[in-house]
Amino acid sequence: MWCESGEIKTPQGFDNMKKAFPGFYSPTEDELRRAWKDENTLFVFDTNTLLNLYGYAKQTRDDFFSILEVIKERIWIPYHVGLEYQRRRLNVVKNEKAVFKDIDGLLGQIEKIFDNEFPKLGLGQRFPKLHENTTKLEEGIKKSLSNYRRSVKHWDDIQPCVRGHDEIRDKLNSFFENQIGPPPSNQEEIDQIAIEGALRYQNKTPPGYEDKDKDKELDSSAYEYAGISYERKYGDLIIWKQLLEKVSEDDDIKAVIFVTDDAKEDWWYIIDSRGKKTIGPRAELREEIAKKAGVEIFNIYNTSGFLEAGEELLEVNVKDESITDADRSFNASRYANYYQDIGGLFKIHNSTDIINSDLYKNTELFKNQELLDSINYSQKLSELLQTPSWLTEMQKYQIMFDKFGLSPEVTKNLESQSYFAEVLKQLRKKSQDKDDDLEPV
């Protein structure tokens, strides 16, 4: 370029690749170790991290709070995280509480077998001795059910309810006192984020673009609080913008640890290498926070990773089962995202509308024409989602799901259907051709 003297001035270059492209470089173990102990490192928590506490075992929550106790002077949440937590908290509490009602229903089904089904067999007249043994079996099972119900009641009583005292919220209130970001100054601030978000989502610039269809999935795509209107699909971007504003105002913050249980690729760099592997934060996020706020280290953890790192780097006593508990929840969220998309189809009853819908076109399961020709999706998938064990079953079939976008629960339930046998056989053959190490379903 030209300078005032008329001479050509060469633009200043970079010393090395890492400085030129910081987003593509993960911090080293030593850098992370120092960051976790540095008093100027900021630990930021996403909404789902706080809400997931309601679904963990008490030990897992206690271990999480033990780490927060060590870093309590360095934790912070954006205003929008707090708002989303307050808005969604009661629904999460309700859903967790509903588990106990489901358990009672399942136990009732067991009792009905003896009350309704065995009498139909007429064992008393036909096989008196067998009837006697059946009666003893019934007495033993009902005694076990009674003992189990007492155990269920214990856990039901200590689980927060929508009208009861919420000790989890009390703990969060205590930890994040004076450590919550400011609200938007006016509607224009949020509107500008939405305008920018529309372009970012079109270009798949993280975070949040995976939520672009939220306004299609739910009846309410927007809401208002304290005089400000928000579009749900821009929630992650609002959180990100508020985080950028926080760290750009504090020159001392050179490292940010972000904790989220959002498993989508608009936060994480995910690559398919013999199954999907999560590498770390998206390079665009690291580059943006470095450029706009001067942050040198930006790393993302899910809750299980946060617990592991807290144990290793801060020497906090964390139980192995707590890490497993949090990891199970994170893995489940990967599949929950998938089922959310499919859920939108259940409101469509006409098969032609299903085939023409955006959800159909963008959902991997429906890209397999053989499966499309063989099933009534809106009815069959709705039935499968009622299966209590669907999360467990999905984990068993994770490899098939990762390779082909084929729901493991659908795979298991449909495998017994004769008209799917050949389809699944072909899928396995294709998987073996692509990857000899792929485990059989």
Side-chain angles (χ1 to χ4, degrees):
M1 62 175 64
W2 290 90
C3 60
E4 293 181 0
S5 64
E7 297 178 354
I8 296 178
K9 182 178 180 181
T10 303
Q12 183 67 41
F14 293 95
D15 295 340
N16 54 54
M17 290 279 281
K18 187 173 182 178
K19 289 184 178 180
F21 308 103
F24 292 95
Y25 289 83
S26 298
T28 65
E29 291 185 9
D30 287 341
E31 288 172 334
L32 283 176
R33 188 176 300 276
R34 289 194 296 270
W36 271 74
K37 295 183 178 181
D38 192 322
E39 64 180 11
N40 290 320
T41 294
L42 186 68
F43 290 82
V44 184
F45 298 85
D46 198 2
T47 310
N48 46 55
T49 305
L50 308 184
L51 292 174
N52 283 350
L53 292 170
Y54 291 90
Y56 294 148
K58 183 178 184 301
Q59 183 64 57
T60 307
R61 289 197 295 268
D62 289 345
D63 289 345
F64 180 87
F65 288 135
S66 293
I67 297 177
L68 258 58
E69 183 65 36
V70 175
I71 59 175
K72 61 184 178 182
E73 302 300 327
R74 300 180 284 156
I75 62 176
W76 181 83
I77 56 172
Y79 174 85
H80 202 70
V81 166
L83 175 58
E84 287 188 340
Y85 164 77
Q86 299 293 350
R87 291 187 70 251
R88 295 166 55 190
R89 180 184 68 90
L90 289 180
N91 275 336
V92 172
V93 170
K94 178 193 72 174
N95 291 337
E96 292 298 329
K97 201 72 171 174
V99 170
F100 299 100
K101 182 179 179 181
D102 294 339
I103 291 175
D104 190 62
L106 293 172
L107 298 181
Q109 291 179 27
I110 297 174
E111 291 175 326
K112 286 180 181 178
I113 292 176
F114 291 97
D115 296 337
N116 301 332
E117 301 304 322
F118 271 103
K120 296 177 183 179
L121 301 177
L123 297 181
Q125 295 77 30
R126 300 167 63 189
F127 306 103
K129 187 61 179 179
L130 182 58
H131 175 67
E132 181 181 334
N133 291 339
T134 302
T135 301
K136 292 179 180 179
L137 174 65
E138 178 182 3
E139 292 172 351
I141 288 179
K142 287 190 173 182
K143 182 178 179 180
S144 296
L145 291 179
S146 177
N147 292 335
Y148 183 71
R149 277 197 170 99
R150 284 195 290 271
S151 175
V152 171
K153 184 179 185 305
H154 165 75
W155 293 108
D156 188 9
D157 290 342
I158 65 176
Q159 183 73 20
C161 65
V162 293
R163 290 184 176 179
H165 181 67
D166 189 343
E167 294 183 358
I168 296 174
R169 185 163 68 161
D170 283 349
K171 294 281 285 186
L172 293 174
N173 287 343
S174 175
F175 277 116
F176 290 103
E177 185 175 358
N178 298 319
Q179 300 188 120
I180 304 174
S185 55
N186 50 49
Q187 183 66 54
E188 183 181 3
E189 180 180 333
I190 296 300
D191 290 344
Q192 287 300 314
I193 293 177
I195 292 172
E196 180 185 347
L199 180 60
R200 290 175 70 116
Y201 287 14
Q202 181 180 344
N203 295 329
K204 291 192 172 182
T205 303
Y209 67 80
E210 287 283 341
D211 296 330
K212 62 182 175 61
D213 291 326
K214 271 190 174 180
D215 54 352
K216 300 178 183 178
E217 295 166 9
L218 299 179
D219 294 333
S220 178
S221 61
Y223 63 91
E224 181 177 318
Y225 181 77
I228 304 291
S229 295
Y230 301 89
E231 291 184 69
R232 292 182 62 255
K233 63 182 177 182
Y234 295 123
D236 282 358
L237 183 57
I238 294 171
I239 290 170
W240 178 247
K241 287 291 187 178
Q242 291 178 348
L243 170 56
L244 290 178
E245 182 179 4
K246 164 69 175 177
V247 294
S248 64
E249 292 175 349
D250 191 337
D251 293 336
D252 292 333
I253 298 176
K254 296 301 179 184
V256 173
I257 302 298
F258 185 62
V259 185
T260 180
D261 283 325
D262 191 330
K264 298 190 295 296
E265 67 172 20
D266 57 355
W267 284 108
W268 301 92
Y269 179 43
I270 301 172
I271 187 169
D272 192 346
S273 175
R274 295 189 176 184
K276 292 189 176 181
K277 305 292 193 304
T278 301
I279 307 302
R282 286 284 295 268
E284 298 93 326
L285 298 175
R286 278 185 169 141
E287 190 277 336
E288 186 173 10
I289 199 170
K291 182 178 180 180
K292 295 186 176 180
V295 170
E296 298 171 359
I297 293 177
F298 175 71
N299 209 39
I300 298 181
Y301 294 85
N302 57 34
T303 300
S304 62
F306 176 73
L307 292 173
E308 280 188 284
E311 179 183 35
E312 178 184 355
L313 304 179
L314 299 178
E315 299 179 354
V316 175
N317 184 24
V318 175
K319 302 291 185 182
D320 289 342
E321 52 265 35
S322 297
I323 297 172
T324 301
D325 185 20
D327 191 51
R328 185 185 301 115
S329 176
F330 178 74
N331 287 332
S333 73
R334 297 173 59 200
Y335 303 111
N337 294 331
Y338 174 84
Y339 274 85
Q340 265 188 342
D341 289 341
I342 297 178
L345 291 172
F346 297 157
K347 297 180 181 179
I348 306 173
H349 301 290
N350 185 289
S351 59
T352 302
D353 291 340
I354 293 176
I355 294 173
N356 292 331
S357 70
D358 289 337
L359 279 172
Y360 164 78
K361 295 173 183 176
N362 295 321
T363 303
E364 289 295 327
L365 173 61
F366 303 116
K367 292 180 181 179
N368 186 298
Q369 189 62 39
E370 292 170 298
L371 288 177
L372 170 64
D373 293 338
S374 305
I375 188 170
N376 181 332
Y377 285 97
S378 60
Q379 177 182 352
K380 192 66 178 180
L381 288 174
S382 182
E383 293 173 1
L384 297 180
L385 285 176
Q386 305 303 318
T387 306
S389 61
W390 64 274
L391 282 178
T392 303
E393 295 302 330
M394 280 193 293
Q395 291 169 2
K396 292 180 182 177
Y397 288 80
Q398 178 177 345
I399 293 180
M400 177 66 80
F401 176 82
D402 285 342
K403 278 288 179 181
F404 299 101
L406 179 64
S407 157
E409 179 63 16
V410 172
T411 301
K412 173 176 171 52
N413 282 270
L414 300 182
E415 190 169 11
S416 61
Q417 305 297 324
S418 59
Y419 50 77
F420 275 101
E422 183 61 29
V423 174
L424 294 175
K425 178 180 178 182
Q426 292 301 318
L427 280 176
R428 291 194 187 94
K429 184 176 185 303
K430 290 177 183 178
S431 71
Q432 291 169 357
D433 291 342
K434 288 184 177 182
D435 188 347
D436 293 336
D437 292 333
L438 186 64
E439 294 181 9
V441 179

